[in-house]
């Protein structure tokens, strides 16, 4: 029985001349536990003294029934885009709306959720971003101009530190366990300080050259230039056809790679250096297609 129906019955009994006590008893006889309380009956008996009083609740001033309005949605979006780390509590206090409303706007209207930020080596400047775009477009254009030979001519290289012990990543450390079983533990070992720098050059057919930096030595222009000389000799032995076509050398723009002695070695061996945008390890082939798999086979 709805509230409107209960109020209609109360008004009917009032017209019959019953008082609040009598009406309450009549309702309890018919509806039992679902009957309105005596206080409610008495309240509406007083309300219906006004012959124009309807059955609906009287309008109330204050906060509207819903605060999910277009204005609030725009205001929340404006605040969040200005500061991505802002809290729901702060937004609710700033706009004077409930936190539940802010959650609803963020989830259902703006389709946003809070996530952990991803760490990157460096936040690029607008100029570096533009250079990154130009380099990628140049590589794409070169690949489209000669799709059959472009990838065959590329030799890519990079350096990485090889530790005597590498701790397991979060993914590698995952184990299976039964429901209700205690989570297994593992020792938290520290990474060993013993390490060697590995330089690798490879192409689409496999690894061409690996070089371990001797202990106590420093990776400088002179040392890297000697590796370039070794690479040329290896290519003549393993990929002579690639040398005749013209080797496209792809490595990052580390200061050692851009030194005068290294640039001279590249020109002397007739290598063509491909552009690589600054601070862009996310598009370095070795980081994504070689090092992670290669280190799985290393033994301390």
């Amino acid at each position: 029985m709805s509230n409107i129906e209960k109020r209609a019955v109360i008004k009917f009994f009032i017209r019959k001349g019953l008082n609040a006590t009598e009406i309450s008893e009549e309702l309890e006889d018919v509806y039992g536990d679902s009957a309105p309380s005596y206080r409610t009956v008495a309240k509406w008996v007083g309300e219906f003294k006004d012959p124009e009083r309807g059955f609906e609740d009287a309008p109330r001033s204050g906060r509207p029934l819903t605060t999910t309005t277009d204005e609030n949605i725009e205001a929340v979006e404006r605040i969040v885009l200005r500061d991505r780390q802002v809290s729901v509590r702060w937004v609710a206090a700033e706009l004077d709306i409930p936190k539940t409303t802010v959650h609803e706007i963020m989830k259902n209207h703006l389709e946003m959720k809070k996530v952990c930020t991803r760490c990157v080596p460096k936040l690029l400047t607008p100029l570096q971003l533009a250079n990154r775009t130009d380099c990628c477009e140049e590589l794409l254009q070169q690949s489209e101009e000669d799709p059959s030979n472009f990838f065959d001519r590329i030799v890519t290289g990079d350096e990485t530190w090889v530790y005597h012990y590498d701790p397991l990543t979060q993914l590698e450390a995952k184990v299976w366990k039964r429901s209700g079983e205690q989570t297994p533990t593992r020792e938290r070992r520290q990474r060993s300080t013993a390490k060697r720098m590995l330089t690798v050059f490879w192409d689409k057919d496999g690894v061409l050259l690996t070089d371990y930096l001797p202990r106590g030595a420093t990776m400088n222009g002179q040392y890297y230039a000697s590796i370039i000389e070794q690479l040329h000799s290896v290519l003549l032995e393993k990929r002579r056809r690639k040398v005749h076509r013209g080797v496209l050398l792809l490595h990052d723009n580390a200061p050692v790679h851009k030194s005068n002695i290294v640039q001279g070695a590249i020109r002397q061996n007739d290598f063509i250096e491909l552009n690589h945008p600054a601070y862009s390890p996310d598009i370095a082939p070795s980081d994504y297609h070689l090092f992670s798999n290669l280190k799985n086979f290393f033994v301390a």
Side-chain angles (χ1 to χ4, degrees), residues 27-78:
L27 292 173
E28 289 180 358
D29 289 340
V30 176
Y31 298 108
D33 294 337
S34 62
S37 65
Y38 171 79
R39 179 176 296 181
T40 301
V41 173
K43 171 181 174 295
W44 281 100
V45 168
E47 292 279 344
F48 288 136
K49 289 181 180 179
D50 180 6
E52 302 297 330
R53 181 68 171 91
F55 302 125
E56 295 78 11
D57 290 320
R60 294 181 297 174
S61 61
R63 181 172 292 167
L65 295 178
T66 177
T67 52
T68 310
T69 62
D70 293 338
E71 292 78 9
N72 284 337
I73 293 174
E74 293 177 1
V76 171
E77 183 178 20
R78 185 168 56 252

Side-chain angles (χ1 to χ4, degrees), residues 2-232:
S2 66
N3 291 333
I4 300 296
E5 293 173 327
K6 294 175 183 178
R7 295 163 191 171
V9 173
I10 292 172
K11 192 170 186 178
F12 172 77
F13 283 127
I14 292 174
R15 293 290 180 89
K16 290 188 66 175
L18 277 65
N19 57 31
T21 303
E22 295 170 335
I23 295 174
S24 180
E25 292 175 353
E26 290 286 344
L27 292 173
E28 289 180 358
D29 289 340
V30 176
Y31 298 108
D33 294 337
S34 62
S37 65
Y38 171 79
R39 179 176 296 181
T40 301
V41 173
K43 171 181 174 295
W44 281 100
V45 168
E47 292 279 344
F48 288 136
K49 289 181 180 179
D50 180 6
E52 302 297 330
R53 181 68 171 91
F55 302 125
E56 295 78 11
D57 290 320
R60 294 181 297 174
S61 61
R63 181 172 292 167
L65 295 178
T66 177
T67 52
T68 310
T69 62
D70 293 338
E71 292 78 9
N72 284 337
I73 293 174
E74 293 177 1
V76 171
E77 183 178 20
R78 185 168 56 252
I79 293 174
V80 172
L81 293 181
R82 187 172 63 241
D83 181 8
R84 298 278 183 154
Q85 292 182 321
V86 68
S87 65
V88 171
R89 184 187 300 275
W90 192 93
V91 175
E94 180 74 10
L95 300 178
D96 192 24
I97 59 178
K99 290 192 299 182
T100 54
T101 301
V102 178
H103 276 293
E104 181 183 354
I105 291 175
M106 297 291 293
K107 180 179 179 181
N108 299 329
H109 297 274
L110 299 181
E111 297 182 353
M112 287 184 170
K113 62 180 180 180
K114 210 163 193 180
V115 297
C116 292
T117 55
R118 183 169 57 90
C119 292
V120 294
K122 183 179 178 64
L123 294 177
L124 301 183
T125 64
L127 182 60
Q128 290 169 338
L129 289 172
N131 180 57
R132 176 184 168 101
T133 302
D134 293 339
C135 289
C136 292
E137 289 179 349
E138 180 183 346
L139 291 173
L140 181 61
Q141 181 180 356
Q142 290 178 343
S143 66
E144 292 175 346
E145 289 176 353
D146 189 13
S148 59
N149 296 320
F150 179 74
F151 293 102
D152 290 337
R153 297 170 57 194
I154 291 180
V155 173
T156 184
D158 206 348
E159 301 88 17
T160 184
W161 285 109
V162 179
Y163 292 85
H164 286 193
Y165 164 72
D166 277 322
L168 296 177
T169 64
Q170 289 290 83
L171 182 61
E172 294 171 337
K174 288 185 176 180
V175 296
W176 295 103
K177 77 179 189 71
R178 298 180 183 275
S179 177
E181 185 180 6
Q182 186 177 4
T183 302
T185 58
R186 60 188 176 93
E187 181 184 4
R188 182 168 182 164
R189 296 177 56 187
Q190 297 295 325
R191 175 175 288 182
S192 172
T193 56
K195 60 183 180 180
R196 299 285 294 277
M197 177 173 283
L198 169 66
T199 303
V200 182
F201 284 94
W202 56 289
D203 63 3
K204 71 180 188 65
D205 296 317
V207 175
L208 295 168
L209 173 65
T210 59
D211 178 84
Y212 286 94
L213 184 68
R215 295 186 184 277
T218 303
M219 176 61 74
N220 52 28
Q222 183 176 0
Y223 187 86
Y224 193 76
S226 67
I227 298 179
I228 295 295
E229 296 290 345
Q230 296 179 47
L231 176 63
H232 183 260

